[in-house]
Amino acid sequence: MNKINLPQAAKLTSPNPVTVVCTQKPDGSTNLATVSWWTYLSFKPNMIAYAMAKTSYSGEMVRDNRKVILTIPGAEMAEAVMGCGSTTGRDTDKAAKFGIELAEVDGSDIKIPAHSRVAIVCSLKEFHEVGDHYLYICDVEQVYGNEAEEALFAWNGYAQVRPAK
C-alpha cells in the first residue's frame, strides 16, 4: 500500500451516499444544500447524523429553526445537486436557479425536491464541532420513500454524482 491523503481515500471509497439538506429560510422559502456524508445512528429511537461545513448557510438555518429534511435525490437531479453544493443559499434561490420542482411534505413547512427517493423529516437534537464541520445529530420524525426514483451517489471524491450502476 502507498501512503495517501484523505481526499484520495474519498475517491477510493466511491460511491458515497449523497443527500440534499432542505431547510427553511427566514422568508419561508426552502434552501437546498448538497451534503456528502450522513448516516443512520439508531433505530430505537430513530436518529440520523450528517456533517456540514461550519460556514454553511443551511447549517445556520438548522441551528436557528431546529428543523431539517434530508432527501436522497433522484437521478433526474444530478446537475442540480452539483449546483446546490457549490452555491450559497444566503442570497440565492437555488430551486429557481437550478430548475428544481419542489413538493410539500405532510406535517412540515419545509419543501423538498419533487424528484427525491427518500425524505427524512427531522428535528435537531444537538450539534458538535468536528474540525471545519459541525456534526448534526437529529431525531427522525417521519420518513417517506419513492422507489420509482433512482438514487444518486457521489463518485471520484465527490467530483460527480450519478446512480450506482
Side-chain angles (χ1 to χ4, degrees):
M1 294 189 85
N2 298 318
K3 186 176 181 178
I4 62 174
N5 61 32
L6 201 54
Q8 290 169 314
K11 289 181 182 179
L12 295 178
T13 59
S14 293
N16 302 84
V18 172
T19 191
V20 174
V21 172
C22 307
T23 58
Q24 190 172 49
K25 294 167 91 168
D27 67 2
S29 65
T30 297
N31 190 51
L32 307 168
T34 304
V35 172
S36 57
W37 183 86
W38 72 277
T39 191
Y40 300 101
L41 290 180
S42 172
F43 294 121
K44 290 185 180 183
N46 289 331
M47 296 173 67
I48 62 166
Y50 65 96
M52 294 185 89
K54 287 181 182 177
T55 57
S56 166
Y57 179 64
S58 288
E60 183 181 323
M61 295 299 95
V62 172
R63 292 188 305 275
D64 287 350
N65 301 330
R66 307 201 64 84
K67 294 289 184 186
V68 62
I69 301 177
L70 274 70
T71 64
I72 307 306
E76 187 172 309
M77 290 186 51
E79 191 172 315
V81 165
M82 293 300 283
C84 286
S86 60
T87 306
T88 179
R90 194 173 303 278
D91 52 13
T92 303
D93 178 343
K94 294 182 192 182
K97 180 173 183 169
F98 299 111
I100 300 169
E101 178 187 353
L102 296 177
E104 293 187 4
V105 175
D106 288 342
S108 179
D109 293 332
I110 302 170
K111 293 183 179 180
I112 65 167
H115 293 285
S116 295
R117 182 171 173 88
V118 174
I120 306 170
V121 180
C122 301
S123 59
L124 179 64
K125 180 178 177 71
E126 57 191 78
F127 66 96
H128 301 275
E129 183 177 340
V130 287
D132 58 355
H133 283 62
Y134 286 122
L135 175 67
Y136 295 91
I137 298 173
C138 298
D139 291 316
V140 174
E141 297 175 353
Q142 297 292 328
V143 183
Y144 300 93
N146 181 353
E147 291 184 31
E149 293 287 345
E150 188 174 23
L152 287 175
F153 292 84
W155 296 82
N156 299 322
Y158 310 103
Q160 59 184 212
V161 294
R162 68 175 195 263
K165 287 186 177 180

